[in-house]
Amino acid sequence: MSDNSTSNQLGTNRVKRGLAEMLKGGVIMDVVTADQAKIAEDAGAVAVMALERVPADIRAQGGVARMSDPDLIDGIIAAVSIPVMAKARIGHFVEAQVLQALKVDYIDESEVLSPADYVNHIDKWNFDVPFVCGATNLGEALRRITEGAAMIRSKGEAGTGDVSEATKHIRTIRGEIAALAGKSKDELYVAAKELQAPYDLVAEVAAAGKLPVVLFTAGGVATPADAALMMQLGADGVFVGSGIFKSGNPAQRAAAIVKATTFFDDAQIIAEASRGLGEAMVGINVSDLAAPHRLADRGW
Amino acid sequence: MAGSSAPVGVLALQGDFREHIAVLRGLGADAIPVRRPTELSEVSGLIIPGGESSVMDKLSRMFGLAEPLKAAIASGLPVWGTCAGLIMLADRVLDAIDGQESFGGLDIAVRRNAFGSQLDSFETELDIPVVGEPSLHAVFIRAPVVESVGVGVTTLASLHDGRVVAVEQGNLLGTSFHPEMTGDTRFHEYFLGKVAAAA
C-alpha cells in the first residue's frame, strides 16, 4: 500500500471515490476498439469503458459475455489519456484481479456481462483499483457501497436505446434518498431493515441527502435530450453504451451528448446539439423484452 | 471576500465544481458556477476545478469562454486551477491529446497524468509555507506535475522527491492536488485573500 516515497497512501477510499468526483458532469462512453476510444476522447468523453461487445450486440448475439481480452484493454489504454474503465462479471473476483493487473482506472462489476456468481458480489475492499456498480434502487446501491463500490450507476436497461428504465432507476434512488430525510432515528432503523443495508450507511445518507459516492446513470441513453433528462433528474453524469457506436454518426453524436450533459438545463443548447445527428441506434422497447432478457435484474 | 463585492466564480463545464463552490460559500464568499461568457464577466476571481482537462478545453472553446477567459487572465483576474485546472493554466502542456489547448498564463510546463494510472493516485502531507503550519493533507488523483517553471513563477510546494505540485505567478495559482476534497480550507482562504487584494 505504499511506494518508495515517504508516507504516500495509495488505494484509499478518498482517492477511489475522488476519481469519480472528477468525472462528474461528464459522459463515459462504451468502446470496443482503440479507434473507437480515440473517437470518444476526441469527442469529449470524460472516460471510456472498454468492453468486447457493446450491450446491444451482447443482446443480439447472446451467449456468455465475459471480461475483454487483455490485448484489447492494453490497446485502449495506450490509445487514450483519459481514464479507462473495464467490465468484470458480477462476483468474478479473478477477472477483477486481472483488470487491476492491467492497470485499468476503474472496474465496472457489471450486469451487462453474464454473472459469475448468483449469490455474492466481489469484495471490492480487497482492491486498490476503484469499482463502479449498478443499482436499480437505494438498497442495492447501499449494499454495493458496503462491499466497497466507490461509484454507483443506476442500471437502466443496457443495449436497448430505451431510456425508460434509466429514468425509473434514477427516480427510484433519488426518491428513496429524499424519503429518508424526514425520518427520525427510530424510523431509520426500520428503513435500514427494509433497504437491507447497514444502519450507519442509511443514517449517513439520510443526514447528507445524497449517496456518499458519485451517482451516474446508464442503460438506454441514446440522444442529447436523454442525457440532459438524466442530469435534470439528478444524475452526476452519464454512461452511454451502445447509443454512440450503434448510431449513424458516432463522433458527432458523442460530441452532442457531451454538450447536452454540461448544459443540461439549457433547452436552446440541447436543441442545437440535437440537430442533424443522423440515425440514432435502432433500439428495443424494454416492454417488448421478456423478463429473462432484462439485464437490470442481474445483481441483487 | 467583502460582502458587497463581485462573486467568485468556479468554472462549471465539468468536474468537481460543486465542491469548490461549497467550500467558498462555507467561508462566507459569494460563489457562482461559470459556464458562459456573461457569467465570467461578473466574477472577481475564478477557480478552475478538478476534472478532465481535454473536456474543459473543448467545451470552453465551443461555447466561447476560452477567449474571454484568456483576456481576463491577461488583465489580472485572480485564477486558481486545481489538477485539471492547473493544466488549463499552464502555458505548456505535456502529454496532451491531439489539438488540446490551455488558457495559459502560468509560465510553466505541466505533464498530464504524471504519476501513472489511478492505481498510482495517492494522499500525502505537504509543507506549504504560504498557508502555514501544520502540513496540508493533499489528495492527488491521476494528477499532473509541474515539470519546469519560468523565472516569474514561485514554487509553493514540492513532493519529497522534489517534484513541483503548487505554483504561483502574479494573480494565478495552480495546484496538482485537490484542497476542495479534504475539508482543510486554508488554500481557499489564501486564494480569497488574493481576490480581495486584486479588487
Side-chain angles (χ1 to χ4, degrees):
Chain A
M1 293 284 285
S2 69
D3 68 4
N4 49 15
S5 58
T6 54
S7 76
N8 285 359
Q9 305 160 269
L10 293 113
T12 63
N13 214 19
R14 191 181 259 149
V15 300
K16 288 175 171 178
R17 293 179 178 186
L19 178 56
E21 298 285 346
M22 300 311 144
L23 302 176
K24 286 189 300 193
V27 183
I28 300 169
M29 303 181 191
D30 276 4
V31 297
V32 300
T33 65
D35 287 345
Q36 288 187 353
K38 197 73 198 116
I39 291 169
E41 181 177 65
D42 287 340
V46 76
V48 291
M49 175 73 71
L51 70 174
E52 199 169 49
R53 293 178 283 169
V54 294
D57 288 336
I58 292 172
R59 196 177 278 295
Q61 296 161 6
V64 175
R66 309 179 178 89
M67 178 189 79
S68 301
D69 186 318
D71 283 343
L72 178 105
I73 292 168
D74 283 348
I76 288 171
I77 290 173
V80 297
S81 64
I82 55 177
V84 174
M85 301 181 164
K87 289 184 192 288
R89 283 180 268 177
I90 290 174
H92 206 317
F93 53 86
V94 175
E95 283 190 349
Q97 290 164 4
V98 170
L99 292 174
Q100 176 165 280
L102 294 174
K103 293 184 183 287
V104 303
D105 295 299
Y106 241 92
I107 295 175
D108 185 0
E109 186 183 17
S110 179
E111 72 283 357
V112 168
L113 305 185
S114 308
D117 186 331
Y118 280 92
V119 179
N120 307 289
H121 283 71
I122 296 170
D123 175 4
K124 293 165 275 285
W125 297 113
N126 278 338
F127 293 80
D128 284 341
V129 67
F131 281 74
V132 56
C133 288
T136 60
N137 57 50
L138 179 59
E140 199 176 351
L142 297 181
R143 289 191 290 280
R144 296 296 85 77
I145 293 167
T146 304
E147 296 156 3
M151 178 180 186
I152 295 293
R153 53 172 176 74
S154 61
K155 283 181 181 173
E157 189 57 40
T160 59
D162 179 347
V163 80
S164 63
E165 291 293 291
T167 306
K168 182 166 90 184
H169 298 155
I170 189 78
R171 277 193 188 276
T172 300
I173 293 169
R174 299 268 301 170
E176 289 176 324
I177 292 171
L180 290 181
K183 291 193 190 295
S184 57
K185 196 169 176 184
D186 49 358
E187 292 169 328
L188 286 175
Y189 288 118
V190 179
K193 184 189 75 178
E194 288 170 352
L195 290 166
Q196 298 177 56
Y199 170 78
D200 288 344
L201 190 51
V202 172
E204 184 185 349
V205 171
K210 63 187 192 65
L211 294 178
V213 302
V214 165
L215 172 63
F216 269 49
T217 190
V221 174
T223 70
D226 288 349
L229 175 67
M230 295 300 114
M231 296 300 287
Q232 288 200 28
L233 289 173
D236 289 323
V238 295
F239 284 84
V240 184
S242 321
I244 291 173
F245 289 99
K246 283 286 163 189
S247 74
N249 188 343
Q252 197 186 349
R253 180 166 296 266
I257 291 173
V258 169
K259 287 183 213 172
T261 302
T262 289
F263 290 95
F264 63 91
D265 53 355
D266 187 326
Q268 206 60 48
I269 290 177
I270 301 165
E272 284 307 314
S274 303
R275 286 180 203 278
L277 295 181
E279 236 175 295
M281 70 177 283
V282 174
I284 305 167
N285 289 305
V286 172
S287 55
D288 296 340
L289 283 175
H293 299 293
R294 296 195 187 174
L295 304 176
D297 297 338
R298 296 171 170 177
W300 36 88
Chain B
M1 221 170 153
S4 61
S5 62
V8 176
V10 180
L11 191 68
L13 295 170
Q14 189 274 318
D16 73 333
F17 51 87
R18 283 202 303 261
E19 283 62 30
H20 276 293
I21 290 172
V23 176
L24 291 171
R25 288 179 180 163
L27 291 170
D30 180 11
I32 62 165
V34 170
R35 288 181 296 177
R36 299 175 177 85
T38 50
E39 292 154 352
L40 179 65
S41 66
E42 293 171 24
V43 302
S44 56
L46 183 75
I47 295 177
I48 307 175
E52 182 44 59
S53 61
S54 61
V55 176
M56 292 182 196
D57 166 41
K58 280 189 187 66
L59 289 168
S60 64
R61 281 191 277 151
M62 222 176 263
F63 290 95
L65 204 59
E67 290 308 318
L69 181 48
K70 285 181 195 172
I73 290 169
S75 64
L77 182 76
V79 183
W80 170 25
T82 61
C83 195
L86 168 68
I87 296 167
M88 295 307 298
L89 285 178
D91 284 346
R92 294 172 297 283
V93 180
L94 309 172
D95 290 342
I97 73 168
D98 292 345
Q100 181 171 353
E101 297 178 16
S102 62
F103 305 133
L106 285 171
D107 182 13
I108 56 174
V110 165
R111 186 173 300 281
R112 293 173 72 223
N113 301 336
F115 297 91
S117 76
Q118 168 63 11
L119 285 170
D120 303 298
S121 294
F122 64 99
E123 304 181 45
T124 194
E125 307 296 323
L126 285 180
D127 292 319
I128 309 179
V130 292
V131 302
E133 297 286 331
S135 58
L136 187 124
H137 190 73
V139 185
F140 292 79
I141 298 174
R142 283 176 50 95
V145 298
V146 179
E147 292 217 342
S148 67
V149 298
V151 284
V153 179
T154 307
T155 296
L156 299 182
S158 304
L159 294 170
H160 305 291
D161 62 10
R163 283 189 282 183
V164 176
V165 292
V167 293
E168 179 171 21
Q169 182 179 12
N171 281 336
L172 302 180
L173 270 178
T175 58
S176 298
F177 49 93
H178 295 277
E180 75 279 13
M181 286 182 67
T182 55
D184 185 332
T185 60
R186 285 178 289 166
F187 230 102
H188 287 81
E189 291 169 53
Y190 183 67
F191 177 66
L192 288 174
K194 290 177 78 75
V195 174

